[in-house]
Amino acid sequence: MATSAVVGALACQVDSYLRNFETTVVQCRQVVTPTPSKAGKKSAVQTTPSDVAQECYEVELKDTILFPEGGGQPSDHGVISTPDEQFPVLAIRRELLTALHKVSKPIEPNTPVKLEVNWKRRFDHMQQHSGQHLISAILDQMQVPTLAWNLGEKVSYVELPRKLTDEEVLAAEDRCNDIIRQGIDIWVEVPDKDLVNKDKLPEDYDAERGILRVVHIGSLDANPCCGTHLKNTREIGSIALLHQLPIRGANSRLHFLIGDRVRAYARDSNYLTRALNSRLSCQTEEIEAKIGRLESQLRDSLKREKLWMADVVKAESARVKEDLKLEKKAYVYRGDLVGLDYFNSLVAQIGNLEPNSGVVLLASGAGKNGGALLVIGEGADKVASKIREEGIIKGLKGGGKGAKWQGKITQWEKGEAESLKAFFDRLEC
Ligand SMILES: [Zn+2]
């Protein structure tokens, strides 16, 4: 029976710089990835006939340069080529000691295949991963152990047992970049298994049959790790330590950027800064003060709006009461407002309507923004029913009983506001 290289001694782990590789298929099996709505985030399971639409295959190879997810490092992306076809490989996972490559079509056992790794993605992962080792080593020297880490799509983080001071962050960043410039070798050792700390090994990893690797950064750091690493700290390029966020009580997530991501971040930040310069018509150093002034202006405007609104509500409620007295009905339409806030203030100001005092019809909004309809007074529900029965506002949805009915208008169509007013005019109360 054919056997494959074990995870721990895969070609990508022995030489992380291999970009192309030739190997053969050991076995291939059909699997199905359940849709999230049906089965949550479970991993691949055996297929059933009804799941054929999502079918895919997992291929075991004699050896591989495509790294399976592990040690906090996401799986590689790559391409697998048979003598006849090419397939993308967008997920590789470890099952016990075996790396399984997910592809969309079956490949026969013993087929010779060529592999190509997505090197841009891999090199980025090697930079983030090796850089994280360095950050954690420097923080260890400051008596701050790393509890966990995450390699994000843009920004990554290490989780620490406490928040660092700004001075500590700056000192750690300086120290990391100093080590980068010193060009210290990063190397992998496979020592006697008894000498390796097995605390962080995955529970399902067979330490007896597997390979336990220890990654060294010169004499600075030594850590058991299965990931892919750079050969020298110089290749890390640069480390930028960013903001911290509190998590799980006193813990802190210290976010960071490494290598080419520092440049990408600088480019995005520059783009954003220039957009702010343009939108706020000011220099970069003035942005914060300018936003402070705008916030203060907004607060003043909102205060003023509240005062004006109170005056308008008072005047409009007086008019409504007058109309009720004269005609037993009143009409309010505000095309400039969408929600019910204004009407709620108005209704509160009008106060309780006595029985037999009439009906008030309040409508807001215009066009595609939609709006609201509120009917109050004795028989409000019947008036609303008539509006719906006559199809005056097509986008009207709502409900209510007796003296209060309120609804939402998804969209005002052409002529509907005029039709509503005409309906009100002929309404007999
Ligand atoms: Zn590592």
Side-chain angles (χ1 to χ4, degrees), residues 257-272:
L257 296 165
I258 293 175
D260 295 348
R261 291 191 184 197
V262 179
R263 267 193 306 140
Y265 190 81
R267 196 166 46 239
D268 290 350
S269 299
N270 184 47
Y271 179 81
L272 177 65

Side-chain angles (χ1 to χ4, degrees), residues 71 73 129-130 132-133 149 213 215 223-229:
Q73 188 178 329
H129 188 121
S130 307
Q132 178 266 320
H133 274 279
W149 85 287
R213 309 157 77 239
V215 179
N223 253 308
C225 186
C226 66
T228 58
H229 304 89

